Amino acid sequence: MKKRIVTISREFGSGGRFIGEEVAKKLGIAYYDKNLINQIAQQSGLAPEYIQESAELSPRKGLFAYAFAGRDSAGKSMEDLVYEVQRKIILEIAEKEECVIIGRNADFILRERTDVLNVFIHGNLPEKTQRICRIYAVSEQEAKKMMADTDKRRMTNYNFYTDQKWGKASNYTLSLNSSELGYERCEKLIMECMEME
């Protein structure tokens, strides 16, 4: 079956968001990333700032924070509520239109669909560091800390809600090294795979 949806999981600094946005533009399809935050906030009744912080990243305290987070009488935490609303929205979007979805465990949420291309974008440390330094105007040391912190929190969130390993090749259709291939080649490879039956 021809692919209608691309999910992109990515290492911080690998350019995954930029690559996804370009693919969506070139294919003329919808692009979902930060624009999901307001939808999740509306449906959950929580502040967009809170959603931004917890929809894709684990609490700063790591995995134990999930286990011991404040839970209601049904045993659900605020993070669980955010995940459930996010999951519902992603499933609705997939039914409605062709699109590119960045992060938010979309590859796992849409795992039962046959029209989804799941991509993981990673890169080499020196190039990712330089990119983060340039974009965020930080030192190399700060860039490396941002990378380690963000990727650890993405991984913890993914591993907790999916029972799978973030970045493991078998969870994705394509695993691309943007440092080796360049952004344009990554985009072309994704678009070529979208055309395959």
Side-chain angles (χ1 to χ4, degrees):
M1 182 181 204
K2 200 171 164 191
K3 306 300 183 194
R4 295 173 54 253
I5 298 156
V6 182
T7 71
I8 295 185
S9 301
R10 75 281 181 224
E11 290 179 346
F12 188 64
S14 67
R17 174 178 288 138
F18 174 80
I19 291 165
E21 195 168 8
E22 287 300 302
V23 166
K25 271 188 215 162
K26 288 173 181 170
L27 292 175
I29 61 177
Y31 172 76
Y32 289 97
D33 181 18
K34 293 183 187 291
N35 49 351
L36 280 174
I37 291 167
N38 287 334
Q39 290 184 48
I40 297 166
Q42 274 181 327
Q43 290 197 28
S44 67
L46 297 167
E49 297 75 26
Y50 180 80
I51 304 299
Q52 169 129 18
E53 183 63 21
S54 54
E56 188 181 24
L57 303 172
S58 72
R60 289 196 183 275
K61 294 184 180 82
L63 195 56
F64 288 112
Y66 278 129
F68 300 109
R71 298 190 174 273
D72 64 15
S73 57
K76 289 197 180 347
S77 69
M78 285 297 243
E79 284 82 11
D80 296 342
L81 170 69
V82 169
Y83 181 76
E84 282 171 19
V85 172
Q86 174 175 277
R87 182 179 176 281
K88 178 177 171 278
I89 289 168
I90 288 170
L91 288 168
E92 285 169 2
I93 287 167
E95 279 299 312
K96 186 177 71 172
E97 63 189 337
E98 294 182 38
C99 60
V100 173
I101 304 173
I102 304 293
R104 293 175 172 74
N105 306 340
D107 61 295
F108 179 78
I109 291 167
L110 301 175
R111 70 193 176 282
E112 287 168 18
R113 297 184 68 101
T114 56
D115 59 350
V116 179
L117 178 74
N118 294 316
V119 182
F120 187 82
I121 297 179
H122 55 104
N124 300 341
L125 187 63
E127 192 189 344
K128 290 190 302 180
T129 304
Q130 289 312 306
R131 185 167 195 272
I132 292 166
C133 288
R134 200 172 55 249
I135 292 171
Y136 296 97
V138 294
S139 68
E140 273 194 34
Q141 191 177 349
E142 287 172 305
K144 285 177 180 168
K145 188 181 181 312
M146 285 171 75
M147 238 185 304
D149 180 55
T150 304
D151 283 347
K152 183 181 178 192
R153 293 176 69 202
R154 279 179 183 160
M155 178 179 65
T156 302
N157 177 284
Y158 185 88
N159 296 357
F160 182 81
Y161 283 108
T162 69
D163 280 329
Q164 295 191 77
K165 193 167 176 357
W166 182 76
K168 186 179 176 189
S170 60
N171 293 333
Y172 309 94
T173 321
L174 274 180
S175 183
L176 303 171
N177 184 326
S178 60
S179 302
E180 301 291 332
L181 296 166
Y183 294 177
E184 219 170 292
R185 187 72 189 127
C186 288
E187 291 159 25
K188 281 181 183 159
L189 287 166
I190 292 168
M191 290 189 288
E192 281 169 22
C193 290
M194 289 290 282
E195 295 306 315
M196 292 166 64
E197 293 286 338

